[in-house]
Amino acid sequence: MKLKFLGTGTSQGVPVIGCTCEVCLSENPKDSRLRSSVMVTTEEHRKILIDCGPDFRQQMLANREDSVDITLLTHEHNDHVIGLDDIRPLIFKSGKDMPLYCYSRVAGEVKTRFPYAFADVRYPGAPAFELHEIENQPFTVLDTEITPVEVVHYQITSFGYRFKKLAYVTDAGFIPEAEKEKLKGLDVLIINCIRKFDPHPAHFILPDAIALFEEVRPKKMFLTHLSHHFGLHEAEEPLLPSGMHLAYDGLEIEF
């Protein structure tokens, strides 16, 4: 299986509009971070999208991706769901509704934000979604077992997802002990890390990520959901502990 980072940035993206910090002005492509999302490709070459933010169209075109078989949503914040309307060309191409897997409350938010996708009589150009409400227990789809990992994101819960020996966890400020057990024995753990030192109420910062790395001991850890406050990729990557890396848009991992 493969995982490709379509975006590794925060809700504002990087560069941030109007910002003149060294990260936002950097010409290194690894410092340009679209909103966080990944594409998982199964052994049967089926495509699993995790989150669909406002940069989805740009991400698909930049990575020459032309299909999505199912979409997993971590939670309902706009930087993770508001691009769902842009899935329309793939829905039209396949002739099938797009399956969305998410919490029941997230399903409710999708219906609220995209009511035209669920109208009794839909506009001919409207998207069509097939909602699958999931709970915190493993499920199988596309012949692939997926294990949700429930984390706390400020005042809500959010799902990370484990596939075999890889786990993708974004928008986490706290991980309960029972959920950390699901993160053991991994080859790759991907975790959000919004900045280096200043505490954040809803996201991990670097000391949190290092502590988790030392506790669950994945072979490799990649940091995502990075803000411009984290610093330049080329300057910060060498300072990380051995086995830890900064993810960047377009990076692909085999697992």
Side-chain angles (χ1 to χ4, degrees):
M1 297 178 68
K2 296 180 181 180
L3 179 144
K4 179 182 284 188
F5 290 91
L6 302 181
T8 57
T10 55
S11 59
Q12 295 184 90
V14 181
V16 176
I17 295 172
C19 183
T20 57
C21 76
E22 63 176 357
V23 176
C24 289
L25 295 180
S26 172
E27 296 182 1
N28 184 347
K30 292 180 180 180
D31 291 319
S32 293
R33 304 162 182 155
L34 298 176
R35 267 60 77 92
S36 289
S37 174
V38 297
M39 183 78 80
V40 174
T41 304
T42 72
E43 294 171 338
E44 291 75 31
H45 305 290
R46 308 295 294 277
K47 299 289 186 175
I48 300 174
L49 176 70
I50 304 182
D51 287 337
C52 187
D55 300 320
F56 171 73
R57 176 180 176 275
Q58 182 180 352
Q59 291 165 339
M60 292 291 284
L61 293 173
N63 288 280
R64 299 180 182 272
E65 295 282 355
D66 60 6
S67 67
V68 173
D69 291 291
I70 68 167
T71 299
L72 309 179
L73 300 176
T74 59
H75 63 297
E76 65 269 36
H77 288 165
N78 263 11
D79 55 320
H80 296 264
V81 305
I82 208 62
L84 285 170
D85 186 83
D86 283 334
I87 291 181
R88 285 182 297 147
L90 306 184
I91 295 171
F92 302 157
K93 180 180 177 181
S94 68
K96 300 177 182 178
D97 296 358
M98 175 59 63
L100 305 180
Y101 290 77
C102 57
Y103 283 107
S104 60
R105 73 161 202 272
V106 175
E109 286 291 332
V110 170
K111 290 179 180 179
T112 297
R113 296 180 207 184
F114 303 95
Y116 49 89
F118 302 94
D120 291 336
V121 180
R122 284 202 301 267
Y123 174 74
F129 304 126
E130 178 186 289
L131 290 171
H132 297 265
E133 298 180 2
I134 59 173
E135 298 180 352
N136 190 15
Q137 57 189 24
F139 62 99
T140 299
V141 62
L142 302 179
D143 296 322
T144 301
E145 183 175 292
I146 302 170
T147 301
V149 180
E150 190 168 65
V151 301
V152 179
H153 179 44
Y154 192 45
Q155 295 181 335
I156 66 170
T157 54
S158 177
F159 273 149
Y161 295 101
R162 176 171 175 160
F163 307 81
K164 294 185 174 180
K165 291 190 175 184
L166 177 145
Y168 176 79
V169 180
T170 187
D171 287 49
F174 174 76
I175 304 177
E177 291 301 318
E179 299 303 297
K180 286 182 184 176
E181 291 297 317
K182 301 175 183 178
L183 302 179
K184 293 182 178 179
L186 293 173
D187 290 339
V188 178
L189 173 57
I190 300 161
I191 189 75
N192 73 139
C193 186
I194 197 165
R195 54 198 183 210
K196 291 178 69 176
F197 300 122
D198 293 336
H200 193 282
H203 290 278
F204 273 24
I205 59 173
L206 185 56
D208 302 322
I210 292 174
L212 182 65
F213 181 65
E214 293 175 346
E215 181 177 356
V216 301
R217 304 305 306 176
K219 291 181 180 178
K220 290 184 180 180
M221 173 181 276
F222 289 87
L223 306 181
T224 191
H225 209 285
L226 300 158
S227 77
H228 62 152
H229 297 296
F230 197 97
L232 295 166
H233 182 99
E234 295 300 334
E236 301 299 339
E237 169 80 11
L239 302 179
L240 295 175
S242 177
M244 290 183 66
H245 304 277
L246 296 180
Y248 55 87
D249 294 15
L251 173 64
E252 190 170 69
I253 299 168
E254 291 193 14
F255 64 98

